[in-house]
Amino acid sequence: MCAITLLAALSAALTAVRSSRADAEALLAGQVLLSTDGRTLTAPVMWAPCQEAKPRVFARETSQTVAADEKRGNTADLTHECATVGFQSSFTLRAPLGDRRLTEFNTGLPFLPFPAARLADIGYLPRGFTTTQDVPLDFGPAGGSWKPWPFTRNDTIASWTRYYAAADKPALSITQVLTPAGSPGPAPATHAGPPLSVNGHDVSLLCDTDTERAITWSDGISAFTVMSYDRAHAALSTEELLRVAGGVHEP
């Protein structure tokens, strides 16, 4: 299985944070999307629904900095356990971020947000798939820098993952990583079998199992990963992932 399941450890860590105090700030350390108008920050957060109120992204603003963190609600019940879920939460600033420094409130570490204006256009999705704010945690941190785990910070490379869902079908994600200027980007993983390509670019398989499949490529501007995974359903075929990839174009 290509995905690395971290739910038990993550749940234990989150429980420790929640039990410390009500309405606490937790570490926000992962992908951050900055809207085209520069005012809305979006980031993935994790939540144990049976234990607490829904958490949210929050930020404190000054004339020079914006410090973001994760505001967690009052703990409801620590005696029960339930599956941790992930979702994308947004917070709107009073003024555009502009050239102000964006940091994580608790640690002071910088965020490199992904500018929404740079998100690639998605020209094709399989029948029934629509955008979702849910973050399927079972995807796991697969594929290294080509498919970053959305809850892992990268201070030098901007990335963002979009998720898509359809009833009775596997989850689908599209990750875009902006290639730093002057860098060729990381070399894609190799795979056995005939060469794969999309829009003239070489494509590699990161994962290829019955329940999980991922392809990756670079167009010289961004690196992309299209990934399909579901415990209960067969993953989308390589051919279908290539069709999705063929509809991905820089804005």
Side-chain angles (χ1 to χ4, degrees):
M1 182 177 178
C2 299
I4 301 174
T5 303
L6 301 176
L7 300 187
L10 291 170
S11 179
L14 288 174
T15 297
V17 171
R18 293 188 196 104
S19 62
S20 61
R21 61 191 175 102
D23 199 24
E25 287 105 18
L27 291 178
L28 181 68
Q31 295 180 332
V32 175
L33 180 71
L34 180 64
S35 63
T36 53
D37 64 3
R39 293 194 59 206
T40 300
L41 302 173
T42 301
V45 298
M46 287 183 282
W47 178 37
C50 68
Q51 293 183 341
E52 64 174 354
K54 197 171 187 178
R56 58 190 174 89
V57 170
F58 182 75
R60 297 166 174 82
E61 299 180 60
T62 71
S63 60
Q64 295 183 327
T65 64
V66 172
D69 70 357
E70 183 180 331
K71 183 76 71 175
R72 310 206 71 87
N74 293 329
T75 299
D77 188 354
L78 289 178
T79 64
H80 291 79
E81 293 186 4
C82 56
T84 301
V85 299
F87 66 96
Q88 293 172 346
S89 176
S90 297
F91 180 81
T92 300
L93 304 173
R94 294 191 301 270
L97 178 65
D99 57 3
R100 290 184 293 175
R101 188 168 181 261
L102 178 63
T103 64
E104 201 279 325
F105 177 77
N106 293 276
T107 64
L109 293 173
F111 282 117
L112 182 61
F114 192 105
R118 296 289 306 276
L119 284 171
D121 298 323
I122 309 300
Y124 168 79
L125 291 173
R127 183 183 298 275
F129 278 83
T130 57
T131 302
T132 178
Q133 298 303 305
D134 294 334
V135 178
L137 299 183
D138 280 341
F139 271 25
S145 60
W146 286 80
K147 172 62 177 70
W149 176 230
F151 297 95
T152 299
R153 178 197 306 277
N154 190 318
D155 299 336
T156 60
I157 300 176
S159 66
W160 186 249
T161 303
R162 287 175 278 183
Y163 299 92
Y164 306 89
D168 299 322
K169 292 185 179 181
L172 176 68
S173 73
I174 301 175
T175 295
Q176 181 178 358
V177 180
L178 295 182
T179 304
S183 170
T190 59
H191 68 276
L196 303 175
S197 66
V198 59
N199 299 328
H201 306 292
D202 293 336
V203 173
S204 288
L205 283 169
L206 287 176
C207 299
D208 187 15
T209 69
D210 291 340
T211 58
E212 184 173 13
R213 189 164 287 112
I215 62 173
T216 183
W217 75 100
S218 174
D219 63 5
I221 301 174
S222 301
F224 296 94
T225 298
V226 177
M227 188 171 186
S228 171
Y229 174 76
D230 197 312
R231 291 182 179 181
H233 304 93
L236 296 175
S237 67
T238 300
E239 290 73 23
E240 190 75 328
L241 294 184
L242 288 171
R243 189 174 178 186
V244 172
V248 175
H249 297 282
E250 297 283 351

